[in-house]
């Protein structure tokens, strides 16, 4: 089999006596502290991976509600397609610059809780706030004076108030005016503001919180467990998405929850917010992080990387050769002692041992110098160093970023506008029609049907994530990555060409393959790059000061931050594309083309020994 020929560094570590000894020493050292940190140096079980991944399941519950209902909500309160797509661009513009900064701060955070969990908790607060503002923005708007939906028989009584409320927004042409709904007037000035604000908070937090969640997972797990950890992470994400979309597909209007909370959409957002909080608590209480100040004081608490293993192996080899040299010199002196011509034997032996000891001290000094150089590279980076780490990244990460960008462009084109595509193109509904009209009810039915399609896509993500590690061992990572993207490209093109209820269900599964790859491949490769010391610090050509070693969370943020760039590009262009083609099928065609380009780019990614 192909897998038998693959040389995997992490699998070899399990049986390496030196690695086992280094890990044992670190585990015993970690047990000496008041808070036991020895779990960081132990292999994790599948249940441990699940506990660490509960938070991503909660995030995906929230993300499913966002992608399924934010577009219909914005269109339903009168926002045009072109403006609605621009709303999706605001959050990634902020996140593109802020997310890497948060990632770098996470690498240097000195909080007692650790480096990742404080960032994760802070983003969780804004995410929950967004879950409240998005569905209840209309209610908040009424508190500030919005009149809401105005039916023709009541329009004459409210025209004066409506005109005064709309004055500030007239230049932006928020409100759709079509012949079939010419008498349908809406006053959602403040509702639009609060809903967009909630969308920004929710979208930014849901995307950005994945970086500390992944970094926390990789920090707690050993490098040899990163493959299983990432696959479990993707499985839990798929389960969360599947159940979240299924919640959205159910009509909650006639239930107790729906009556109490004021409708189906509000019920869904409330439920996913509660589920997210539960998942967050389960994850952040699963394992303690080692605080950065402790790692700076005690090098035995630092991650056991390949560079450290190589250094220890070199030290061990030097000591072995040192002992051999001393023995050889001792034997030589014994054979050449001449009591008359030479000094006494004990003195000669002593001199030989002293000379060899001096060599040993020089080796230790050299090793100490290397260690000091590494410590120097670990100091906090300046803004200049930070920008350099982003814009002057290694070629391997640059290619990975570009591939991830194309993947996210295809995926976001599909998931952000999919329910709108089904509601308008497949069911023939109109989101801007009066809420009591048949056209609007058809649109809502299509949105709910689209939720079940997205549930299938998330289920496919979980199934593919469950097998992706085995597929990589059998087929190798290049084939898995490129092949999965090609399957998605074909599926998206077929769905766009034949939009009906059957293709919505069948080809939605191909989108799940891409999502599984987005959650697994880039971060598995990054874990390999860093574990193998791919980005260790080197001496600068212009100064004696070593360059700073690249941080794992920083690189995760940079690669993961491609979601923001992709969302900016898609959001700025997709609205005009829909208007030009006159159909929402444009979003599905875009997804197919981007996946095809990503498949071509993935052939150039550096896969190490995967």
């Amino acid at each position: 089999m192909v897998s038998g020929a693959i040389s995997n560094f992490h699998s070899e570590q399990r049986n390496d006596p030196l690695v086992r000894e280094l890990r044992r020493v670190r585990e015993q050292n970690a047990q000496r502290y008041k808070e036991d940190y020895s779990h960081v140096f132990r292999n994790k079980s599948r249940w441990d991976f699940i506990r660490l991944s509960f938070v991503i399941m909660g995030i995906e519950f929230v993300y499913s509600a966002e992608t399924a209902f934010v577009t219909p909500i914005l269109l339903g309160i009168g926002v045009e397609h072109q403006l609605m797509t621009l709303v999706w661009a605001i959050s990634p513009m902020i996140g593109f610059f802020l997310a890497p900064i948060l990632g770098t701060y996470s690498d240097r955070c000195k909080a007692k809780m650790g480096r990742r969990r404080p960032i994760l908790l802070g983003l969780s607060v804004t995410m929950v706030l967004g879950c409240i503002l998005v569905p209840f923005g209309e209610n908040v708007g009424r508190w500030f004076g919005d009149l809401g939906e105005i039916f023709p028989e009541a329009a004459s009584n409210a025209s004066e108030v409506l005109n005064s409320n709309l004055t500030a927004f007239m230049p932006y042409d928020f409100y759709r005016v079509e012949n079939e709904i010419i008498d349908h007037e809406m006053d959602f000035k403040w509702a639009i503001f609060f809903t967009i604000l909630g969308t920004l908070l929710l979208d930014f937090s849901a995307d950005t919180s994945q970086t500390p969640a992944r970094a926390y997972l990789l920090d707690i797990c050993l490098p040899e467990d990163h493959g299983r950890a990432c696959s479990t992470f993707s499985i839990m994400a798929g389960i969360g998405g599947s159940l979240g979309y299924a919640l959205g597909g159910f009509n909650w209007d006639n239930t107790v929850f729906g009556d109490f909370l004021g409708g189906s959409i509000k019920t869904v957002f409330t439920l996913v917010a509660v589920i997210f909080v539960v998942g967050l608590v389960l994850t952040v209480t699963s394992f303690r992080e080692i605080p950065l100040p402790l790692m700076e004081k005690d090098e035995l608490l630092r991650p056991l990387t390949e560079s450290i293993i190589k250094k220890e192996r070199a030290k061990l080899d030097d000591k072995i050769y040192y002992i051999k040299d001393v023995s050889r010199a001792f034997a030589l002196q014994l054979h050449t002692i001449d009591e008359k011509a030479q000094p006494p034997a004990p003195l000669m032996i002593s001199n030989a041992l002293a000379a060899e000891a001096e060599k040993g001290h020089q080796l230790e000094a050299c090793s100490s110098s290397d260690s000091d150089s590494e410590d120097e590279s670990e100091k906090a980076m300046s803004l200049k160093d930070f920008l350099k780490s982003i814009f002057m990244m290694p070629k391997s990460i640059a290619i990975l970023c570009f591939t991830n960008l194309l993947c996210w462009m295809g995926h976001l084109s599909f998931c952000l506008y999919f329910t709108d595509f089904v509601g308008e193109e497949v069911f023939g509904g109109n989101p801007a029609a009066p809420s009591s009209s048949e056209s609007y009810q058809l649109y809502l039915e299509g949105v709910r049907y689209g939720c079940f399609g997205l549930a299938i896509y998330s289920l496919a993500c979980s199934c593919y994530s469950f097998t992706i590690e085995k597929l990589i061992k059998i087929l190798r990572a290049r084939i898995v990555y490129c092949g999965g993207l090609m399957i998605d490209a074909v599926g998206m093109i077929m769905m766009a060409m034949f939009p009906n209820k059957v293709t919505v269900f069948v080809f939605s599964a191909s989108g799940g393959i891409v999502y599984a790859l987005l959650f697994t491949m880039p971060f598995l490769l990054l874990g390999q790059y860093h574990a193998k010391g791919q980005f260790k610090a080197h001496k600068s050509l212009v100064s004696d000061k070593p360059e700073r070693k690249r941080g794992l969370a920083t690189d995760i943020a940079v690669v993961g931050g491609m979601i923001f760039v992709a969302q900016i590009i898609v959001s700025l262009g997709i609205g005009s594309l829909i208007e030009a083609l006159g159909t929402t099928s444009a979003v599905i065609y875009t997804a197919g083309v981007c996946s095809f380009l990503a498949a071509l780019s993935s052939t150039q990614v550096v896969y190490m020994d995967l």
Side-chain angles (χ1 to χ4, degrees):
M1 291 179 64
V2 177
S3 61
I6 298 176
S7 174
N8 192 307
F9 166 73
H10 295 315
S11 62
E12 292 174 357
Q13 279 191 344
R14 293 180 184 273
N15 300 319
D16 191 326
L18 174 61
V19 174
R20 289 204 307 266
E21 177 62 19
L22 293 175
R23 197 169 287 160
R24 184 189 67 80
V25 170
R26 281 160 171 75
E27 185 176 343
Q28 290 181 347
N29 177 70
Q31 291 174 343
R32 296 189 300 105
Y33 289 86
K34 182 179 180 181
E35 302 288 347
D36 186 0
Y37 301 111
S38 59
H39 55 269
V40 176
F41 302 101
R42 291 198 295 261
N43 292 105
K44 302 297 184 297
S45 65
R46 180 68 73 174
W47 170 241
D48 292 331
F49 298 142
I50 291 174
R51 292 166 64 194
L52 289 164
S53 301
F54 269 126
V55 67
I56 194 59
M57 186 179 74
I59 292 172
E60 285 302 305
F61 265 97
V62 174
Y63 196 70
S64 64
E66 178 196 6
T67 54
F69 292 114
V70 165
T71 294
I73 288 173
L74 291 174
L75 294 174
I77 58 178
V79 180
E80 291 256 14
H81 262 109
Q82 196 163 359
L83 181 63
M84 178 270 297
T85 58
L86 292 178
V87 170
W88 285 111
I90 301 174
S91 170
M93 285 181 181
I94 300 171
F96 176 69
F97 294 101
L98 191 56
I101 294 175
L102 288 176
T104 302
Y105 176 74
S106 175
D107 278 332
R108 309 310 306 164
C109 179
K110 297 187 177 182
K112 188 176 181 180
M113 284 186 64
R115 296 182 293 170
R116 319 304 183 188
R117 291 185 293 177
I119 308 295
L120 187 59
L121 289 172
L123 291 169
S124 299
V125 173
T126 56
M127 194 185 307
V128 172
L129 182 59
C131 284
I132 296 172
L133 286 178
V134 168
F136 293 97
E138 187 177 338
N139 299 73
V140 177
R142 290 182 184 276
W143 295 346
F144 283 81
D146 282 353
L147 298 178
E149 190 173 17
I150 302 173
F151 295 97
E153 59 272 15
S156 58
N157 298 328
S159 59
E160 183 177 347
V161 177
L162 178 60
N163 289 334
S164 64
N165 283 345
L166 293 180
T167 301
F169 289 95
M170 282 300 183
Y172 300 96
D173 191 21
F174 273 84
Y175 294 89
R176 299 171 55 116
V177 180
E178 299 180 2
N179 291 331
E180 64 270 23
I181 56 171
I182 192 66
D183 293 327
H184 182 219
E185 295 182 282
M186 291 180 286
D187 174 31
F188 288 116
K189 178 181 66 174
W190 286 106
I192 289 173
F193 170 76
F194 284 110
T195 303
I196 290 177
L197 176 61
T199 301
L200 299 182
L201 292 174
L202 181 58
D203 191 48
F204 171 77
S205 301
D207 291 337
T208 310
S209 60
Q210 295 181 22
T211 296
R214 285 192 184 98
Y216 177 50
L217 174 76
L218 297 178
D219 284 348
I220 296 299
C221 299
L222 296 173
E224 64 202 59
D225 288 335
H226 283 177
R228 286 203 306 157
C230 288
S231 64
T232 304
F233 201 74
S234 298
I235 292 169
M236 295 295 285
I239 292 173
S242 299
L243 296 178
Y245 287 121
L247 281 178
F250 185 72
N251 189 352
W252 295 88
D253 286 335
N254 299 321
T255 65
V256 176
F257 288 116
D259 290 337
F260 178 74
L261 294 171
S264 183
I265 293 178
K266 295 173 182 176
T267 302
V268 171
F269 272 96
T270 303
L271 290 175
V272 299
V274 172
I275 292 170
F276 166 72
V277 171
V278 173
L280 174 70
V281 172
L282 290 174
T283 292
V284 299
T285 57
S286 58
F287 291 100
R288 285 185 295 274
E289 292 182 80
I290 302 177
L292 183 60
L294 287 182
M295 284 195 286
E296 292 175 341
K297 293 178 181 178
D298 188 351
E299 63 178 11
L300 291 180
L301 291 177
R302 299 174 188 174
L304 184 61
T305 61
E306 185 179 8
S307 60
I308 295 177
I309 295 172
K310 286 182 177 179
K311 185 184 297 183
E312 292 296 330
R313 200 182 303 279
K315 286 182 181 179
L316 182 62
D317 292 341
D318 290 337
K319 289 178 181 178
I320 292 174
Y321 289 126
Y322 167 65
I323 293 172
K324 289 181 178 178
D325 289 341
V326 171
S327 300
R328 191 180 300 112
F330 182 70
L332 181 62
Q333 294 297 329
L334 286 177
H335 283 86
T336 59
I337 291 176
D338 186 345
E339 295 183 356
K340 296 181 178 179
Q342 301 290 345
L347 179 58
M348 296 183 62
I349 295 173
S350 177
N351 291 338
L353 292 177
E356 296 301 330
E358 181 64 24
K359 293 181 182 179
H361 290 313
Q362 291 175 358
L363 289 171
E364 290 181 3
C366 180
S367 175
S368 175
S369 175
D370 292 340
S371 178
D372 293 341
S373 176
E374 277 197 15
D375 291 341
E376 179 70 21
S377 71
E378 291 294 332
K379 291 182 180 179
M381 62 160 51
S382 65
L383 178 60
K384 180 181 178 181
D385 294 330
F386 165 67
L387 294 175
K388 183 178 179 181
S389 71
I390 297 176
F391 297 107
M392 298 182 67
M393 63 182 69
K395 182 180 178 181
S396 56
I397 292 187
I399 297 173
L400 191 61
C401 281
F402 182 67
T403 305
N404 211 37
L405 170 65
L406 293 172
C407 289
W408 275 116
M409 287 177 63
H411 176 70
L412 291 173
S413 298
F414 165 71
C415 71
L416 290 183
Y417 309 107
F418 181 70
T419 54
D420 181 54
F421 160 75
V422 177
E424 293 194 48
E425 201 67 27
V426 178
F427 279 72
N430 190 334
S435 59
S436 58
S437 66
E438 181 181 355
S439 181
Y440 185 74
Q441 294 304 316
L442 275 174
Y443 179 76
L444 289 182
E445 184 180 351
V447 169
R448 287 193 290 268
Y449 190 87
C451 286
F452 286 116
L454 290 173
I456 291 176
Y457 128 86
S458 292
L459 187 61
C461 171
S462 292
C463 294
Y464 193 69
S465 299
F466 190 74
T467 61
I468 195 169
E469 188 180 6
K470 295 179 180 178
L471 288 174
I472 289 174
K473 290 180 180 179
I474 297 173
L475 302 176
R476 305 194 70 164
R478 188 184 303 275
I479 296 176
V480 173
Y481 205 4
C482 183
L485 291 170
M486 286 298 296
I487 292 172
D488 179 65
V490 173
M492 292 296 106
I493 296 296
M494 294 295 291
M495 186 192 301
M497 293 176 61
F498 308 102
N500 56 64
K501 293 182 178 180
V502 176
T503 57
V504 164
F505 268 23
V506 173
F507 295 117
S508 289
S510 65
I513 295 176
V514 173
Y515 205 36
L517 292 173
L518 282 167
F519 263 83
T520 306
M521 290 302 300
F523 309 103
L524 181 59
L525 290 171
L526 281 178
Q528 286 273 356
Y529 295 164
H530 281 268
K532 284 180 166 290
Q534 184 83 350
F535 311 123
K536 58 190 282 188
H538 299 283
K539 291 286 185 181
S540 174
L541 296 177
V542 296
S543 69
D544 293 334
K545 183 179 179 181
E547 296 178 357
R548 186 185 187 277
K549 182 180 177 181
R550 297 184 66 89
L552 176 60
T554 302
D555 281 337
I556 289 177
V558 171
V559 175
M562 291 301 104
I563 184 176
F564 301 117
V565 183
Q567 194 167 330
I568 291 170
I569 296 173
V570 170
S571 300
L572 292 178
I574 204 71
S576 300
L577 189 60
I578 292 173
E579 294 292 333
L581 298 180
T583 172
T584 53
S585 295
V587 299
I588 309 300
Y589 279 116
T590 302
V593 172
C594 290
S595 291
F596 175 73
L597 295 176
L600 296 181
S601 177
S602 67
T603 61
Q604 304 302 312
V605 170
V606 178
Y607 291 94
M608 305 297 285
D609 54 2
L610 287 177

